[in-house]
Amino acid sequence: MGNYEQHFSWTGVQIHHFYIYFVIAGLIASYLTYKSDSKYKLEGFLLSFYFLTGNINELLTIKIPGFSFFEIQPIRLIYLLLLFFIIRKTLLSKEKLLSSSKRSTPLFMIPLALYIILLTISIGVNVDEVGSGDALKTVLESFAFVIILFGLKLMADQPTYDLIGKSIIIGAIVTSLVAIVQLGVEPYFMRIGDDRPAFGAVIRSNGIFSTEYFHSYFLIIAIVWVFTTVKNNLWKTGLVILFSIGVVTSFMRMSWIILALVLITYLIFIYKIALEKMLFAGLTGLAILLCAGIFYYQDIMNSTMVKERLTDSVGGRKGYYGMVIDNIHKKPWLGYGGLKNEVYYINLLRITGDRDRATATTGSLHSGYFSSLFEYGVPAFVCFTLFVMLSALYYSRSFHSNLYFVIPFLASVIFMIGNLTNTFLFLSYVSVLYAVHIGMGMGIHKIEENRLLTSQADYSK
């Protein structure tokens, strides 16, 4: 944790706050794991700690002198542990797995496998421009995504999934409270990464995350967990309000839209609340926002955020997307292998005038779909899009039989919509959340299949 300066662009960082919270998070994860009936205590503890610490746990990265590529990151520990878990459960286990005839493989796994194959071929063809280090890292991260997914599926253990859910909810409480402190008291409290302005002297809240969109998407997924698992209506209402405030403090418009969609989807189509009650609540919330907007009108309209959004809005990003469309015909089948190439450099320098953006040191194409198209070609783009859409469709057909499937369904929706204006490819924080949740969804299907087989065996006796 000594090499933490890269995460901060300001002075006066209270680094001991992070040490204290890591200790607290470790104690909470230990308690939750101890109280859980999880069959996989070690895996459960690490996943619990990971979600309790947002991605400030990047500060726990251990660098090996002379081997910068082989730095030990928390997420790498998790997928290596899950790799050993998969080997133990498949090759070394005495448990009898379902036969292939009885084992159901979701359709979305086919385009995922094809996407990884095409990605690997694309990077191999363009390795001279991509660089061997970045090429190997990207390929390994794509396989790590699958390891996380299959590891969570093979657990097929409801108490372990509940442990993860509780950890996400507690982590969301922490990041919401930190966000409120950042917004109204001390903008650099527990802040890591971005310090981007919202309006006036106000800085966007990141909570315990490095960017506002990781913070807000994590909170939206936590809201889904609250809706699905918290039974006490008072607690449920209070947590949803707290997490929604946390999302608002991010001042990220796409997260506001996704929050509204998730709330509407759950309350109307799943919980089936009366439409007039939903409209009343929506109008009340809109009135509150309008009052706040009028009160701070001058600060907001003159803010850096508004000016930035007017020039770099969804519509304003057409320069990035237009660049992809104008140049993909040169390499339609396998793409450019990444963002470090002459085409990207020349066009991004022209569009942004920023050398860091042009060299892909910072920024991206602000769309997972356009990124997959430009980097890996048209077939890979089709496979990525199908994978994301089919996962949402798959779980949308399941939650009527088991409410738990609402969680992977809405996690898929969040990932699908979030990729419209942000790039969430393999092993970004949001992608890890996505892999964990669709893996859990597959695990729940496995639990139901095993339960059905057990009941059939008992009946035959």
Side-chain angles (χ1 to χ4, degrees):
M1 191 168 165
N3 186 23
Y4 59 81
E5 293 85 355
Q6 61 178 316
H7 298 285
F8 309 104
S9 57
W10 50 87
T11 58
V13 174
Q14 299 295 315
I15 194 66
H16 63 274
H17 289 164
F18 297 98
Y19 280 109
I20 292 169
Y21 181 62
F22 287 139
V23 173
I24 294 171
L27 292 173
I28 294 172
S30 298
Y31 177 76
L32 291 176
T33 306
Y34 172 75
K35 296 293 289 184
S36 170
D37 293 326
S38 169
K39 294 190 294 185
Y40 311 107
K41 298 290 187 181
L42 179 58
E43 293 83 357
F45 169 79
L46 281 178
L47 286 165
S48 175
F49 181 80
Y50 181 77
F51 289 122
L52 283 167
T53 53
N55 72 335
I56 63 170
N57 56 44
E58 291 178 358
L59 295 175
L60 295 173
T61 297
I62 300 172
K63 294 184 179 293
I64 302 174
F67 297 92
S68 59
F69 180 76
F70 294 100
E71 63 186 18
I72 301 173
Q73 302 172 358
I75 186 59
R76 290 182 181 177
L77 282 178
I78 286 174
Y79 70 68
L80 285 174
L81 184 67
L82 289 175
L83 175 61
F84 294 138
F85 173 80
I86 291 170
I87 293 171
R88 191 171 79 243
K89 289 285 288 184
T90 55
L91 302 179
L92 305 178
S93 176
K94 294 180 180 179
E95 294 180 22
K96 194 172 182 180
L97 297 176
L98 289 174
S99 66
S100 58
S101 60
K102 296 176 181 176
R103 195 185 310 140
S104 59
T105 300
L107 188 60
F108 63 76
M109 294 303 298
I110 298 173
L112 173 61
L114 291 173
Y115 176 65
I116 293 175
I117 292 170
L118 291 166
L119 173 151
T120 304
I121 296 172
S122 171
I123 289 175
V125 169
N126 296 286
V127 69
D128 290 338
E129 287 189 313
V130 175
S132 57
D134 287 342
L136 181 60
K137 180 175 179 290
T138 303
V139 173
L140 288 178
E141 286 187 347
S142 68
F143 282 98
F145 180 91
V146 176
I147 288 169
I148 293 171
L149 190 156
F150 270 105
L152 268 295
K153 174 192 174 182
L154 285 177
M155 282 181 183
D157 183 50
Q158 190 72 54
T160 303
Y161 299 157
D162 291 338
L163 170 62
I164 292 170
K166 290 176 183 176
S167 303
I168 289 174
I169 291 173
I170 295 172
I173 293 172
V174 173
T175 196
S176 295
L177 295 176
V178 170
I180 292 170
V181 173
Q182 290 173 344
L183 184 69
V185 181
E186 170 52 58
Y188 296 113
F189 174 69
M190 290 286 287
R191 184 179 290 275
I192 176 176
D194 287 348
D195 56 341
R196 302 172 66 196
F199 60 88
V202 177
I203 297 178
R204 305 181 194 190
S205 295
N206 295 341
I208 56 173
F209 293 87
S210 59
T211 65
E212 69 274 4
Y213 47 85
F214 289 168
H215 162 75
S216 55
Y217 288 152
F218 179 83
L219 285 171
I220 296 170
I221 287 178
I223 287 173
V224 178
W225 275 99
V226 169
F227 276 141
T228 308
T229 62
V230 175
K231 305 303 180 186
N232 184 292
N233 286 330
L234 186 61
W235 271 105
K236 182 180 292 188
T237 302
L239 289 173
V240 170
I241 291 173
L242 175 63
F243 298 168
S244 298
I245 291 172
V247 174
V248 171
T249 64
S250 71
F251 292 94
M252 182 193 172
R253 60 199 167 151
M254 182 55 78
S255 69
W256 293 355
I257 294 170
I258 293 175
L259 173 63
L261 288 174
V262 166
L263 291 175
I264 291 169
T265 300
Y266 182 85
L267 293 175
I268 293 181
F269 298 104
I270 299 172
Y271 188 72
K272 300 188 184 301
I273 192 172
L275 185 58
E276 58 271 17
K277 292 181 180 179
M278 188 68 187
L279 288 173
F280 175 76
L283 289 173
T284 302
L286 181 60
I288 294 171
L289 289 175
L290 285 175
C291 290
I294 291 169
F295 188 76
Y296 290 106
Y297 179 78
Q298 290 298 326
D299 282 342
I300 293 172
M301 292 310 296
N302 292 323
S303 70
T304 304
M305 183 185 77
V306 170
K307 293 176 180 178
E308 174 189 294
R309 289 313 187 199
L310 288 175
T311 58
D312 191 29
S313 62
V314 175
R317 290 175 182 174
K318 64 182 180 182
Y320 308 143
Y321 307 154
M323 182 275 290
V324 174
I325 294 170
D326 291 341
N327 289 280
I328 192 60
H329 70 277
K330 299 174 185 176
K331 291 188 174 183
W333 300 113
L334 293 174
Y336 292 84
L339 302 180
K340 294 183 178 179
N341 54 73
E342 186 177 359
V343 171
Y344 185 84
Y345 179 84
I346 292 172
N347 283 279
L348 264 290
L349 195 62
R350 171 181 56 82
I351 294 167
T352 67
D354 186 338
R355 189 174 182 277
D356 285 341
R357 293 294 305 275
T359 56
T361 304
T362 61
S364 66
L365 287 171
H366 287 285
S367 169
Y369 305 105
F370 277 98
S371 292
S372 62
L373 175 62
F374 179 79
E375 294 184 50
Y376 312 123
V378 175
F381 158 75
V382 171
C383 289
F384 177 76
T385 305
L386 282 174
F387 163 56
V388 175
M389 293 179 66
L390 288 174
S391 69
L393 180 63
Y394 177 76
Y395 290 115
S396 71
R397 296 173 174 174
S398 304
F399 59 74
H400 299 293
S401 60
N402 186 336
L403 195 60
Y404 220 95
F405 288 115
V406 169
I407 300 170
F409 165 63
L410 289 177
S412 298
V413 171
I414 291 166
F415 188 79
M416 179 174 63
I417 299 174
N419 265 295
L420 290 172
T421 57
N422 289 103
T423 301
F424 300 132
L425 300 182
F426 295 126
L427 289 202
S428 72
Y429 192 87
V430 176
S431 299
V432 172
L433 281 171
Y434 178 52
V436 166
H437 284 85
I438 60 175
M440 284 195 295
M442 294 167 70
I444 297 165
H445 269 302
K446 190 166 180 279
I447 292 170
E448 292 191 336
E449 288 174 349
N450 288 337
R451 187 181 295 126
L452 179 62
L453 287 174
T454 302
S455 63
Q456 288 175 347
D458 293 339
Y459 180 78
S460 63
K461 291 179 181 178

